[in-house]
Amino acid sequence: MDLRIFTEPQQGASYETLLTVAKASEDLGFDAFFRSDHYLKMGSADGLPGPTDAWITLAGLARETKRIRLGTLMTAGTFRLPGVLAIQVAQVDQMSGGRVELGLGAGWFEEEHKAYGIPFPKEKFARLEEQLAIVTGLWATETGRTFSYDGTHYQLTDSPALPKPAQSKVPILIGGHGAKRTPRLTAQYADEFNLPFASIEDTERQFGRVRAAAEAVGRKADDLVYSNALIVCVGKDDAEVARRAASIGREVAELKVNGLAGSPAEVVDKIGRYGAVGASRIYLQVMDLDDLDHLELISSQVQSQLS
């Protein structure tokens, strides 16, 4: 079971904070550091000092880390034109020596679009499908040849399809709860399917849909990585769990139901139950980015038992 650190910087984090967490994640043996792609806080957080751009952040981290993989859950398809996104991701992959993964979603948070003057189209899913075709098509085009695309939402003419990523294939992550279109797109384009903030029962059901969709297009279902994203709150004892829950404005009982919370043994047991329905990777949503002791505890007493 791979454990990855997943952050939500729009809730309030500077680049320096993210760099500290990414370096700690690398030093503590976690598989990857991922971040959300949002420009506006949610809920009661103050969001200070303000948003950081996902791909600018990852570019910086690419030069400041050595081993850990870097990516997004999920890049918003509404934020960037697909040709521009392909260039950005390829460049960051080069800067990292081939450690980047692209999680790409349709975009959903209308308020952040209004706040920063970003168009919020109605046909987001259809645009996402074209974006996936374009980004993967540009990267797959042989050097020296050109790529063209004539879609409903995007048109490219004789693109040189450069630059190329360092990796021969940048892993693509698609995720979500959709019953039909999401599994179909995953089967067509993704290397990993991620289900965020779902119960074990819902995870088993959605993984089954994705597996069936993969087999329907002639892929082996086991060619895909299946993962979950879940909030994490671990403590050595009940008091420490309660303190960490309070620091992020959540209740322990609710976190135990909807996330990974409690003692290391409790969290290892619950991760094992996700593994039993097909998950081989967990993105640990860490909300208090100043609590590096939390990461150390997870590394030493949770990750060590899952290795």
Side-chain angles (χ1 to χ4, degrees), residues 14-303:
S14 66
Y15 172 75
E16 290 301 323
T17 297
L18 295 171
L19 175 60
T20 298
V21 175
K23 284 186 170 182
S25 300
E26 181 167 77
D27 292 343
L28 291 168
F30 291 102
D31 181 63
F33 174 91
F34 271 56
R35 60 156 292 163
S36 60
D37 186 21
H38 286 294
Y39 292 135
L40 194 67
K41 71 179 183 69
M42 303 168 199
S44 59
D46 60 26
L48 296 175
T52 50
D53 181 83
W55 285 100
I56 291 176
T57 297
L58 295 177
L61 297 180
R63 307 303 290 177
E64 297 278 2
T65 57
K66 297 179 180 179
R67 174 194 60 81
I68 202 164
R69 297 192 68 80
L70 303 165
T72 51
L73 283 182
M74 298 284 185
T75 287
T78 50
F79 288 173
R80 303 166 187 88
L81 296 170
V84 173
L85 179 62
I87 291 170
Q88 290 174 322
V89 177
Q91 183 177 3
V92 178
D93 194 52
Q94 291 176 0
M95 293 167 70
S96 72
R99 293 183 284 124
V100 159
E101 304 186 10
L102 172 62
L104 185 59
W108 61 270
F109 190 18
E110 185 173 7
E111 287 79 1
E112 69 185 337
H113 294 74
K114 292 178 179 177
Y116 286 96
I118 303 167
F120 190 68
K122 290 183 179 180
E123 296 296 327
K124 292 182 290 297
F125 202 91
R127 289 173 181 268
L128 172 63
E129 186 163 4
E130 291 192 11
Q131 289 168 330
L132 286 162
I134 291 166
V135 170
T136 57
L138 287 167
W139 291 340
T141 298
E142 183 180 341
T143 300
R145 295 185 178 272
T146 60
F147 175 83
S148 296
Y149 184 86
D150 186 16
T152 301
H153 304 285
Y154 305 103
Q155 297 81 40
L156 286 74
T157 303
D158 295 333
S159 170
L162 297 171
K164 301 300 186 192
Q167 299 174 86
S168 59
K169 189 178 191 312
V170 173
I172 300 289
L173 291 76
I174 295 175
H177 296 260
K180 295 182 179 180
R181 293 186 299 177
T182 296
R184 176 178 60 80
L185 277 191
T186 300
Q188 186 172 357
Y189 292 106
D191 302 282
E192 178 177 340
F193 175 73
N194 178 263
L195 189 62
F197 314 118
S199 68
I200 294 167
E201 295 75 19
D202 287 345
T203 295
E204 184 173 24
R205 185 178 305 111
Q206 187 70 339
F207 283 2
R209 291 176 181 138
V210 173
R211 295 178 70 87
E215 291 169 353
V217 299
R219 291 184 70 178
K220 293 181 180 179
D222 288 341
D223 285 347
L224 284 158
V225 173
Y226 298 85
S227 64
N228 290 89
L230 295 160
I231 190 167
V232 65
C233 181
V234 187
K236 294 188 294 291
D237 51 38
D238 290 346
E240 190 167 79
V241 175
R243 176 178 63 77
R244 288 200 164 109
S247 73
I248 59 173
R250 303 282 286 268
E251 297 291 334
V252 173
E254 176 266 323
L255 286 171
K256 287 189 176 185
V257 172
N258 296 314
L260 301 171
S263 68
E266 287 178 287
V267 171
V268 168
D269 176 72
K270 192 166 185 181
I271 290 174
R273 285 185 276 147
Y274 278 96
V277 299
S280 62
R281 180 172 291 160
I282 303 289
Y283 293 81
L284 303 173
Q285 186 194 45
V286 177
M287 299 305 294
D288 185 351
L289 299 183
D290 294 320
D291 187 1
L292 298 183
D293 289 341
H294 193 198
L295 296 184
E296 195 284 327
L297 177 66
I298 296 167
S299 173
S300 64
Q301 298 196 34
V302 176
Q303 182 172 242

